[in-house]
Amino acid sequence: MEHMNDYNEKMVGKRIKETAKSRGYTAEELAEITGNGIYTINRIYQGVSIRPEYICQLSHVLGVSTDYLLLGKKDRMEVKPSREEILQFLGGLDDTKLIKLAGAAKILYDIA
């Protein structure tokens, strides 16, 4: 079992980079989504710039817990489909369902 003493910034950066890659995100896309620069994302990947606000932001975007990013606790990982899985699902919908889904997404976006 891992404890807080096992915290290692280099491993945090590695977990973030590997998780982003497995979810289909490039460093450039993460920079755009999070509003951080590519330089910041690369420093996070290197384990040089591990700030709480970045960890919270990235755990939300990547769909994993902060415990996973910080300590590698896999029992706390959330399951989030990859971009490819989402696109494959959407590709199987007919036009009527896509239009309804787009309308629902707009409503949710507007209230958020």
Side-chain angles (χ1 to χ4, degrees):
M1 175 184 239
E2 295 184 8
H3 301 283
M4 195 56 165
N5 309 10
D6 297 330
Y7 171 79
N8 177 310
E9 289 182 342
K10 299 284 185 208
M11 288 304 299
V12 173
K14 181 179 178 183
R15 269 191 294 280
I16 291 169
K17 184 176 184 176
E18 289 174 352
T19 304
K21 183 177 179 181
S22 75
R23 302 285 197 253
Y25 292 107
T26 64
E28 291 80 9
E29 289 169 326
L30 274 185
E32 184 178 330
I33 291 166
T34 62
N36 298 310
I38 187 67
Y39 177 77
T40 300
I41 297 299
N42 284 326
R43 289 179 54 84
I44 292 169
Y45 282 179
Q46 296 165 6
V48 176
S49 185
I50 306 296
R51 295 185 182 171
E53 61 268 25
Y54 297 153
I55 296 298
C56 292
Q57 208 175 37
L58 290 167
S59 77
H60 177 73
V61 169
L62 298 174
V64 296
S65 70
T66 55
D67 282 354
Y68 174 72
L69 293 181
L70 292 171
L71 300 172
K73 292 186 177 184
K74 293 184 181 187
D75 60 321
R76 299 289 308 265
M77 281 186 72
E78 299 170 20
V79 177
K80 180 179 177 183
S82 68
R83 285 177 169 214
E84 290 78 24
E85 291 170 326
I86 292 169
L87 291 174
Q88 184 178 13
F89 170 78
L90 292 174
L93 297 178
D94 62 34
D95 288 346
T96 304
K97 288 182 180 174
L98 282 173
I99 291 168
K100 287 180 182 178
L101 182 61
K106 181 174 179 351
I107 290 168
L108 290 172
Y109 180 80
D110 290 343
I111 19 182

